[in-house]
Amino acid sequence: MHSSSGYGNGYHHQHQQHADKHFGPSLRDRARRGTRRGSGARSRDSRDGHGPSGGATVGLRVCEQQRPPTDFDMAYFHSYAHVGIHEEMIKDRVRTETYRAAIMQHQSSIAGKVVVDVGCGTGILSIFCAQAGAKRVYAVDASEIAVQANEVVKANNLSDIVIVLHGRVEDVQIDEEVDVIISEWMGYMLLYESMLGSVITARDRWLKPGGLILPSNATLYMAPITHSDRYSESIDFWRNVYGIDMSAMLPLAKQCAFEEPCVETITGENVLTWPHVVKHLDCYTISIHELETVTTRYKFKSMMRAPLHGFAFWFDVEFSGPAVSPTNNHTPSSHVDDNPLDGSQRKKRANPNEALVLSTAPEDPPTHWQQTLIYFYDPMEVEQDQLIEGSVTLSQSKENARFMNIHLEYASGGRSFVKELVMR
């Protein structure tokens, strides 16, 4: 970040080089489901000039050249200029208050330090960091929401601390190492939108050794579910419509209702087994390459007799420091039969001296992420203790890295199936 006159009002817009954020959720889906990400199209750009306070450039690491933005990227960034997306995320009290609590819990690592907010959106997390005593906060976002973020910063008299950079994290210049990276990067099913790549880029470019990343790690879970009400509302409805047999509509109804992943809220009563860990991500060590394909084998044992309608996916993120961050799992996680969500994670949430956890699990308070459901076209009846096994592979779409391809194999009771979907 440069300026011959210090930091000015903190808002710097280069030529619209590349808009930021690493995602690409489809606008069609966002309209259908209500928006998703709060840290919208993120990154901002910087000025040319001197280092902090007009001084010399400080320890800027060189990173390999990043790809230019695609048309999908530009559409994605444009979508995050809409206030509705940010309103939805900020009104998610579980999300926003957990981030504020994490910032205050780590205040000793933030006060007097330099922070980067990756995908700052309206700038609320940057302002929380300033309130926690940060010396300087670089608020980076590629969407035009950066203009409003800068106005919010000025209205709160924080322009001398919070510098809004309009551009991609891959493209903006910050001429000093930073102590803290904060970002709300999680998409539906954790990895949808691929924004974690921007956090990794910021980490590799600017984070000091021993620096803090919030959140520090994340875990994606899956479990088989039963949801007769949802199936009845979408499918069984057509069997008798005002006394007319419209069952000829069933194949089309199933395709329209269940061809793509669904973002919905379920409860713990819908879940048939303990969850399986699909992937654990350590934000201090994960590489961009590891995000291209995630695969795991699973084996569940149903805890009840019920129709199996599909699988649910949800995630947790934890706000801990680098010293206590768990080692990243560099290989596909092994299958788990009984891996309760309560145990150690509930203990962490209950003990204020331990790491905070933001959970989107069915039994926890609802968030705007809800859960991601993959429904079968036809349910399978399972008995208590019946095995349900198979594999799931999540991979970035070749068409658009912000989309996610899902390859699901499942078998139970001597029957096996394959389902392929695209989350777009």
Side-chain angles (χ1 to χ4, degrees), residues 34-340:
T35 55
R36 189 334 270 166
R37 294 218 42 100
S39 329
R42 324 226 192 215
S43 298
R44 312 298 181 202
D45 146 69
S46 76
R47 318 176 266 191
D48 288 327
H50 328 318
S53 302
T57 298
V58 181
L60 177 63
R61 300 180 211 169
V62 177
C63 65
E64 61 185 70
Q65 180 150 6
Q66 301 295 322
R67 64 169 177 82
T70 65
D71 290 343
F72 287 114
D73 290 329
M74 301 309 294
Y76 176 75
F77 303 146
H78 180 71
S79 73
Y80 273 95
H82 194 282
V83 71
I85 292 179
H86 304 282
E87 179 180 352
E88 179 194 25
M89 292 186 293
I90 291 173
K91 284 182 175 178
D92 181 344
R93 298 186 69 88
V94 174
R95 163 199 180 268
T96 306
E97 291 183 350
T98 301
Y99 266 85
R100 180 165 61 179
I103 289 167
M104 297 313 298
Q105 187 178 77
H106 291 277
Q107 186 172 10
S108 62
S109 299
I110 294 173
K113 301 297 178 62
V114 179
V115 179
V116 167
D117 179 0
V118 178
C120 69
T122 57
I124 189 168
L125 300 186
S126 296
I127 290 173
F128 287 162
C129 289
Q131 292 172 340
K135 176 175 72 174
R136 186 156 47 253
V137 182
Y138 295 99
V140 183
D141 205 304
S143 163
E144 291 300 318
I145 199 68
V147 177
Q148 281 71 40
N150 190 60
E151 293 304 312
V152 170
V153 168
K154 288 195 294 185
N156 286 273
N157 300 314
L158 291 171
S159 296
D160 58 335
I161 297 174
V162 180
I163 300 97
V164 179
L165 304 180
H166 187 186
R168 297 195 311 167
V169 159
E170 293 81 356
D171 304 319
V172 302
Q173 295 301 312
I174 297 175
D175 291 336
E176 61 180 322
E177 290 187 321
V178 305
D179 305 281
V180 181
I181 293 173
I182 190 165
S183 180
E184 194 274 81
W185 54 264
M186 301 83 71
Y188 295 126
M189 212 168 171
L190 186 62
L191 298 175
Y192 175 57
E193 298 184 34
S194 307
M195 185 181 170
L196 179 56
S198 291
V199 176
I200 294 170
T201 297
R203 179 198 71 194
D204 293 345
R205 293 187 73 187
W206 302 310
L207 187 65
K208 292 179 180 178
L212 177 65
I213 302 177
L214 297 176
S216 54
N217 55 80
T219 306
L220 176 63
Y221 301 93
M222 68 179 292
I225 56 109
T226 185
H227 203 343
S228 296
D229 289 346
R230 171 71 160 83
Y231 197 86
S232 177
E233 291 168 4
S234 301
I235 307 302
D236 291 339
F237 162 79
W238 294 103
R239 300 186 192 280
N240 186 326
V241 182
Y242 299 100
I244 300 171
D245 179 1
M246 299 193 72
S247 55
M249 293 290 297
L250 289 177
L252 179 60
K254 291 175 183 178
Q255 181 180 359
C256 291
F258 304 140
E259 183 178 24
E260 296 181 358
C262 301
V263 177
E264 302 172 0
T265 297
I266 58 172
T267 70
E269 295 179 353
N270 297 113
V271 181
L272 291 174
T273 72
W274 293 119
H276 167 76
V277 174
V278 176
K279 181 68 175 176
H280 177 79
L281 307 173
D282 182 341
C283 295
Y284 294 100
T285 61
I286 188 97
S287 68
I288 290 178
H289 175 71
E290 286 180 74
L291 302 177
E292 293 174 358
T293 301
V294 170
T295 188
T296 184
R297 293 202 62 82
Y298 60 81
K299 183 184 291 184
F300 298 104
K301 185 182 292 185
S302 179
M303 294 189 292
M304 67 187 79
R305 183 178 186 273
L308 170 62
H309 289 101
F311 291 93
F313 294 78
W314 64 87
F315 63 86
D316 290 347
V317 295
E318 184 175 300
F319 297 84
S320 58
V324 296
S325 178
T327 302
N328 183 58
N329 180 8
H330 288 283
T331 59
S333 52
S334 58
H335 60 261
V336 177
D337 288 337
D338 298 298
N339 181 20

